[in-house]
Amino acid sequence: MSDAHLLVLSPYIALAATAVVVMLTTAFYHRHLLLAGLTATGLAATFACVLVAGAEDRRATALLRMNDVSLYFIGLLVVVALAVVALSYGYLGRTERRFGDFYTLLTLGALGGAVLAASAHFASLFLGLEVLSVSLYGLIAYPRRRPQAVEAAFKYLVLAAVTSAMLLFGMALVYAVSGTMLLDKVASAGAGLAGWEAAAYKAGLALVFAGVGFKLALVPFHMWTPDVYQGGPAPVIAFLAAASKAAVFVVLLQSLAPLDPQRGGVLVVVLSVVAYASMLAGNLLALFQQNLKRLLAYSSIAQLGYLVVAVVSSGAAGGARGAGTVAVAFYLTIYALALLAAFGVIAVLAHAEGEPEALSQYRGLGHRRPALALVLSVSLLSLAGMPLTAGFIGKFFIFRAGAGAAQWGLLVVFALTSAMSLYYYLRVIITMYRLEVAPYAAALATSPGGMSAGRRAADRVAVAALVLLTASTLLLGVYPPVLLRLIEHAASVFR
Amino acid sequence: MMLTILTFLPVAGALLMLIFMRGRPNAYKMTALVTTIITFAVSLYIAAQFTTGDASFQFQEDHSWIGNLGIHYHVGVDGISLLLVLLTTLLSMVAILGTWNSIKDRGLAFFISLLVLETGMIGVFVSMDLFLFYLFWEIQLIPMYFIIGIWGGARRVYAAIKFFLYTFAGSVLMLVAILAIVWWYSRHGGFLTFDILTLQKAGFNGTIALWSFAAFFVAFAIKVPMFPVHTWLPDAHTEAPTAGSVILAGVLLKMGVYGMIRFCIGFFPEVAVRAMMPVVILSVIAIVYGAAMSLIQPDMKRLVAYSSVSHMGFVTLGLFTFTVQGVQGAILQMVSHGILTGALFMMVGFFYDRTHTRLIKDYGGMARPMPVAAAFFSLFVLGSLGLPGLAGFVGEFLILVGSFQYYKVFAAVASIGIIIGAAYLLWMYQRTMFQQANEKWLSLKDLNAREIVTLVPLVGMAIWIGIYPHTFLNMVDAPAQNILTQVQPYLAQHGDGLVRMVSALFGGAK
């Protein structure tokens, strides 16, 4: 292993080292600030490693392929994890007494995601997915005195285990007939097969796709999402929604990259159907939700549907591949920003007994905590795709990619469901700015003053992180070139 | 720089208010008012510097914004957009002065919404880049949604959501159309650009032109609103607070027509000519239907709202006759409708501030306690029903002259709308101002100085347009001729056939 290899792998080394250090420190000094600080430092160091790892397309090991796209997403994962640390610090301080394992699990989850982002092989795909999922079981069940959280974790555990089994079986089938586990060979390995071998190959791919679909919560594999989102602790769900989905999505994007669009006919059809179903079901089910967390769950199903539109378009002929990748990378970024901010607001408003979930609890929040209401409004508007927020630019790119691939049917549904989505996002916003104030929001007015100094500081850290996320959402909406240059450079590996 | 300053002045004022004037109503109201006055002054200055008789865009500014997508910050005005900008700045000023004391709860947010709305509206009229246009088009939706949804009447949330869903559905269709034509142009010999002037010369034809025209047209027809898609308007108008109704009727509806002129006709003249007939029919239906609906409304605001449907029907009728008189009349009718309907809503607002009812049957004999108000009201009512010498007459007259050249029958039917208009407006005036006095209202105070100052500019404009419309017709003459030159070749091709068809159907041949 040469120095260059070490450099490429340095983000993984940094993440793994952080996990170990935090775990060991937990055993001896159980101080919350120290643990959170160590985690944040480790993540920051990882981000520095991502910056210096600057990679050409090179296979770091047989399992990992590091290119600019994977590096971009590892960077995104690390930033998301950092934001989750900032949100969790206050949240855990208010609701829990043990902290250490939380940060270890979080770092491990980020590590799993990072492996996924660069996986080039079935083995690394599976490993990454399992590391990510197993840490998520622990994270979701972390408030173990809260039955909803434990229930959500079990639901996730059972379904994810079934999914993993399907994934493994699918991989086995594909390997049995094609003899390869390399992702970029798998896609084209089916060409020469016939008879039962072709059938087994197709069944294997279908199973693998179902496994990925479960993780992404695409319709028809979305059933777990609302329950898990509702039961899990808000910062963890923010991580689940933003980081884990982004990581899995990169696999989808990267493994489809060598696929010949002309021969990918069936796959394009399957993806289109999934995109139609996710956009329609997600948005329709969100319309009349009275529970903010469930609403966000359905909305994230719809958002992933939009992303599949971009993936379908990236499979088109000609120069559109770059456009699709740019759309996916940009949209995943702004989706992560928005969901982090939305769940972050819920996390900041949570107390020891639970989190505010019912929309009615948010009535009048705009007068009691104007900053939080503004953060939630901007992130919801961004999810809805309002101009001047990053969401608009993101949707714009998906449109461009779709128009380039002439996917007019998908685009029309995309446009109409986006219009529909505004209804439920705006319902939340107008609830927050209603003139009358709900008891829950009313109680908030007094609580910041009554907090201890430490808690107030933690609250400030979280609010500062949220404001930063919101500011980035707005900045990317007004002047997207700041991020676009980076993404377009990264996406040029697919040209 | 002038147009950029003009566009962003209101937002700058709003920021000032947000940062320095929380909880000081007098300070922020005054700042809001001064901001709109300065904005109005800047727009007057631009108008003074403007060269009339020149069809090209003036005061242009062009900077690259999102370079790799061909998106520019490109603004400029021609006669039509300048006229609408002036209408916007005037009505924003009037709206703020007119609702000085009407908003009791969280006035700061209300006045900030109004200022952001003003920036959005000006931005729509000065944008010369489709992306920028779409951006401003969407931006003005949010404050309007809040204005209706937070400060509106009893059914405000319903009305706000209905308003939003209709207009947003339209704007999504528009976005699809924008991207479709940009994509088409970049594929067919062009490059990636959102520049309106470049795309106007692109010569879209065939399927892309047909579908994009349809999408643009539906988006703008919802905004105008044209006949089958008008149902959001009565609810939005009725529930909105006074300032919201004034801006909605005065400016937002005009954005729909402006879009039709700029994009439906500007980009796809051939399809526009083919669509003449259906649009004219829908317009005539809107004229008569809106007027008939007004006749039976028990609520003053709803009555004025339906009269807007009728009056905007005249605008689309005039525009799609593609005659000099029709197009000029349409543009003038937009301005006079903005002034007069804005004024009517303002008057209803003044009455509502005192009585807290809008139902016609609750009123009666209001001229006794409020003679000054009754005098102003009569002027606006007469102007709105098309009395010669006041603003409403000139536009409607020109439109009827224009449409009579092609569509005698339709012009005749449309003039029935004017007659019904006189009926419902005068009848409302009689039932509210005269007849048996309602005892409750005898002690009401007449208009105060602030309210009179609010109305005076509107009266001035109504009389100016009515007596000397040339000032305004000169401004729009060159751009109107420009529209006609664009459609002329296609009119010669399809138009005669249409006229012959109409003649065959209805007998009244040319």
Side-chain angles (χ1 to χ4, degrees):
Chain A
M1 195 177 265
S2 67
D3 290 355
H5 279 137
L6 274 182
L7 198 62
V8 169
L9 292 179
S10 60
Y12 298 104
I13 299 169
L15 272 178
T18 310
V20 173
V21 168
V22 172
M23 188 173 68
L24 289 178
T25 315
T26 310
F28 298 106
Y29 305 98
H30 196 258
R31 293 280 156 71
H32 193 183
L33 185 60
L34 174 70
L35 293 168
L38 270 180
T39 317
T41 318
L43 289 170
T46 313
F47 193 73
C49 292
V50 170
L51 291 183
V52 297
E56 304 110 59
D57 189 356
R58 64 174 81 119
R59 208 171 281 276
T61 69
L63 301 182
L64 297 175
R65 176 189 52 193
M66 205 57 138
N67 57 25
D68 284 339
V69 174
S70 14
L71 268 182
Y72 176 80
F73 278 101
I74 296 173
L76 179 66
L77 278 175
V78 173
V79 172
V80 169
L82 258 176
V84 172
V85 169
L87 295 174
S88 311
Y89 179 62
Y91 181 86
L92 291 178
R94 260 172 287 131
T95 56
E96 292 297 317
R97 267 171 280 136
R98 311 160 302 127
F99 317 111
D101 317 322
F102 185 92
Y103 295 105
T104 314
L105 287 171
L106 184 67
T107 320
L108 282 176
L111 178 62
V115 170
L116 273 181
S119 70
H121 194 277
F122 272 160
S124 54
L125 171 61
F126 190 73
L127 273 177
L129 212 54
E130 283 304 289
V131 172
L132 180 59
S133 306
V134 172
S135 9
L136 278 172
Y137 309 147
L139 285 172
I140 295 173
Y142 206 76
R144 64 201 156 125
R145 278 171 295 128
R146 226 189 289 155
Q148 302 96 312
V150 179
E151 185 196 327
F154 266 98
K155 222 166 239 170
Y156 190 64
L157 168 72
V158 171
L159 279 172
V162 172
T163 315
S164 298
M166 285 168 63
L167 197 65
L168 268 183
F169 188 52
M171 287 172 178
L173 280 178
V174 171
Y175 179 63
V177 294
S178 69
T180 182
M181 294 221 258
L182 290 172
L183 287 179
D184 50 0
K185 299 248 173 65
V186 163
S188 51
L193 300 175
W196 73 270
E197 286 190 322
Y201 173 77
K202 276 179 192 152
L205 278 192
L207 284 171
V208 171
F209 183 71
V212 172
F214 259 111
K215 294 289 172 198
L216 292 176
L218 291 167
V219 176
F221 313 112
H222 65 288
M223 251 65 100
W224 57 274
T225 323
D227 295 336
V228 172
Y229 275 46
Q230 188 185 358
V236 174
I237 299 303
F239 185 72
L240 168 80
S244 93
K245 286 192 180 168
V248 178
F249 217 90
V250 189
V251 178
L252 199 61
L253 191 68
Q254 300 247 50
S255 56
L256 291 184
L259 183 76
D260 185 340
Q262 253 60 48
R263 279 187 287 132
V266 183
L267 193 63
V268 168
V269 171
V270 171
L271 284 174
S272 304
V273 169
V274 166
Y276 279 121
S278 301
M279 289 191 287
L280 287 170
N283 282 312
L284 286 174
L285 292 171
L287 275 184
F288 300 107
Q289 270 307 321
Q290 293 301 328
N291 181 311
L292 182 62
K293 287 174 90 181
R294 288 183 85 85
L295 186 146
L296 286 171
Y298 286 118
S299 119
S300 83
I301 294 172
Q303 303 286 335
L304 267 291
Y306 303 154
L307 275 163
V308 177
V309 174
V311 171
V312 173
S313 311
S314 83
R321 164 155 330 281
T325 312
V326 169
V328 169
F330 193 84
Y331 204 84
L332 273 174
T333 311
I334 60 104
Y335 161 81
L337 289 176
L339 271 190
L340 272 176
F343 278 105
V345 170
I346 300 177
V348 172
L349 292 177
H351 48 64
E353 284 78 48
E355 297 167 1
E357 291 174 6
L359 263 189
S360 55
Q361 287 173 307
Y362 288 81
R363 208 179 295 142
L365 184 73
H367 323 309
R368 300 299 176 176
R369 298 288 298 264
L372 290 182
L374 191 69
V375 166
L376 190 52
S377 306
V378 171
S379 58
L380 291 178
L381 287 177
S382 182
L383 286 174
M386 259 291 129
L388 289 194
T389 63
F392 176 66
I393 309 286
K395 289 207 165 149
F396 187 80
F397 277 111
I398 294 182
F399 253 114
R400 186 180 68 138
Q407 297 282 356
W408 300 111
L410 280 172
L411 285 191
V412 167
V413 175
F414 173 45
L416 291 180
T417 49
S418 297
M420 200 156 65
S421 74
L422 251 167
Y423 171 79
Y424 56 84
Y425 292 125
L426 279 173
R427 213 159 43 101
V428 180
I429 296 176
I430 205 134
T431 305
M432 288 192 294
Y433 290 99
R434 288 281 280 275
L435 295 175
E436 59 272 26
V437 179
Y440 193 93
L444 289 172
T446 50
S447 59
M451 286 182 202
S452 68
R455 289 206 177 166
R456 214 176 311 147
D459 192 70
R460 278 206 197 114
V461 170
V463 173
L466 290 177
V467 168
L468 213 61
L469 290 171
T470 308
S472 335
T473 299
L474 291 175
L475 174 68
L476 289 180
V478 177
Y479 195 67
V482 281
L483 186 65
L484 269 182
R485 288 207 192 93
L486 189 64
I487 291 178
E488 292 200 326
H489 174 68
S492 61
V493 295
F494 288 141
R495 288 248 168 84
Chain B
M1 267 319 273
M2 285 318 283
L3 285 179
T4 304
I5 293 174
L6 177 73
T7 311
F8 293 102
L9 249 179
V11 163
L15 274 181
L16 256 166
M17 285 155 62
L18 184 66
I19 296 169
F20 295 113
M21 292 163 203
R22 297 184 143 194
R24 284 157 52 205
N26 284 326
Y28 65 65
K29 279 182 198 171
M30 202 41 108
T31 316
L33 182 64
V34 170
T35 308
T36 48
I37 291 176
I38 297 175
T39 315
F40 182 58
V42 172
S43 66
L44 283 182
Y45 174 78
I46 290 175
Q49 303 285 312
F50 185 82
T51 323
T52 48
D54 182 358
S56 66
F57 284 81
Q58 301 174 31
F59 299 97
Q60 285 194 35
E61 293 165 43
D62 192 353
H63 309 282
S64 182
W65 179 17
I66 306 176
N68 38 11
L69 292 183
I71 293 168
H72 283 232
Y73 175 81
H74 188 183
V75 292
V77 283
D78 69 351
I80 299 175
S81 33
L82 182 60
L83 202 55
L84 292 172
V85 166
L86 287 168
L87 183 68
T88 308
T89 51
L90 174 72
L91 284 180
S92 298
M93 186 172 74
V94 165
I96 283 182
L97 193 59
T99 46
W100 198 254
N101 293 326
S102 316
I103 301 298
K104 302 275 185 277
D105 214 339
R106 279 186 301 135
L108 179 64
F110 180 79
F111 286 104
I112 287 178
S113 300
L114 274 183
L115 290 176
V116 174
L117 187 60
E118 188 179 4
T119 286
M121 295 184 296
I122 298 175
V124 162
F125 294 131
V126 302
S127 295
M128 294 188 64
D129 184 281
L130 270 176
F131 187 89
L132 195 65
F133 174 86
Y134 185 78
L135 210 68
F136 281 120
W137 181 275
E138 293 291 286
I139 285 171
Q140 46 80 26
L141 279 182
I142 300 255
M144 198 63 218
Y145 172 77
F146 280 130
I147 287 174
I148 299 174
I150 296 178
W151 295 278
R155 297 198 311 146
R156 56 182 178 270
V157 175
Y158 167 77
I161 288 178
K162 197 169 176 183
F163 161 77
F164 204 97
L165 287 184
Y166 265 83
T167 37
F168 195 74
S171 50
V172 166
L173 276 178
M174 179 162 81
L175 181 63
V176 176
I178 289 176
L179 291 165
I181 60 170
V182 167
W183 167 81
W184 189 90
Y185 184 70
S186 72
R187 280 285 176 89
H188 292 78
F191 45 94
L192 198 56
T193 182
F194 286 79
D195 191 69
I196 291 175
L197 293 181
T198 314
L199 291 171
Q200 273 188 351
K201 295 190 198 86
F204 298 104
N205 53 40
T207 329
I208 181 86
L210 188 66
W211 284 101
S212 311
F213 174 88
F216 271 119
F217 189 81
V218 171
F220 298 133
I222 289 173
K223 201 79 180 175
V224 169
M226 287 186 67
F227 165 62
V229 284
H230 65 281
T231 56
W232 62 270
L233 181 89
D235 289 309
H237 265 319
T238 315
E239 298 306 322
T242 303
S245 303
V246 171
I247 299 287
L248 193 58
V251 186
L252 294 198
L253 307 188
K254 279 44 180 203
M255 286 173 23
V257 182
Y258 177 77
M260 285 184 182
I261 296 175
R262 209 42 103 227
F263 305 123
C264 289
I265 301 175
F267 287 176
F268 320 104
E270 182 175 3
V271 191
V273 169
R274 282 161 180 260
M276 246 170 118
M277 191 65 176
V279 177
V280 164
I281 292 175
L282 285 179
S283 308
V284 173
I285 293 178
I287 292 170
V288 178
Y289 166 84
M293 288 299 280
S294 298
L295 209 48
I296 54 162
Q297 294 307 317
D299 180 313
M300 278 205 270
K301 260 185 145 177
R302 262 190 121 73
L303 185 147
V304 182
Y306 273 109
S307 83
S308 286
V309 175
S310 178
H311 286 144
M312 292 309 284
F314 274 104
V315 176
T316 45
L317 172 66
L319 190 60
F320 276 80
T321 57
F322 298 121
T323 56
V324 184
Q325 296 88 346
V327 173
Q328 286 192 344
I331 296 165
L332 204 64
Q333 169 80 349
M334 283 205 273
V335 179
S336 57
H337 173 263
I339 303 275
L340 290 168
T341 309
L344 283 178
F345 276 123
M346 199 53 107
M347 288 302 308
V348 176
F350 290 160
F351 290 127
Y352 182 82
D353 282 347
R354 291 168 170 74
T355 61
H356 297 283
T357 175
R358 294 183 307 251
L359 295 181
I360 296 175
K361 69 174 166 57
D362 293 343
Y363 286 86
M366 296 294 281
R368 249 202 303 176
M370 302 176 67
V372 180
F376 274 111
F377 199 30
S378 72
L379 190 123
F380 297 131
V381 161
L382 292 175
S384 195
L385 63 81
L387 187 78
L390 290 170
F393 172 72
V394 190
E396 283 174 7
F397 179 74
L398 281 173
I399 290 166
L400 287 178
V401 169
S403 54
F404 197 71
Q405 297 173 15
Y406 283 138
Y407 308 111
K408 292 196 170 51
V409 178
F410 291 137
V413 177
S415 42
I416 295 176
I418 300 187
I419 299 171
I420 309 179
Y424 64 76
L425 282 167
L426 289 176
W427 193 32
M428 173 192 70
Y429 189 77
Q430 187 208 1
R431 281 180 294 167
T432 52
M433 296 299 118
F434 304 136
Q435 281 191 344
Q436 196 175 11
N438 190 332
E439 298 297 326
K440 273 192 288 185
W441 313 134
L442 284 180
S443 58
L444 287 180
K445 286 204 174 63
D446 207 345
L447 297 186
N448 59 29
R450 171 183 62 81
E451 288 164 333
I452 292 175
V453 170
T454 311
L455 295 175
V456 164
L458 300 175
V459 173
M461 286 301 294
I463 296 175
W464 187 356
I465 299 177
I467 292 179
Y468 196 72
H470 277 280
T471 329
F472 306 96
L473 287 177
N474 280 342
M475 266 170 88
V476 300
D477 187 42
Q481 291 292 352
N482 208 14
I483 299 173
L484 292 174
T485 4
Q486 276 179 320
V487 296
Q488 216 56 57
Y490 307 107
L491 264 185
Q493 204 176 323
H494 308 289
D496 282 343
L498 282 175
V499 172
R500 251 180 276 122
M501 192 174 82
V502 177
S503 315
L505 275 174
F506 298 102
K510 188 165 76 153

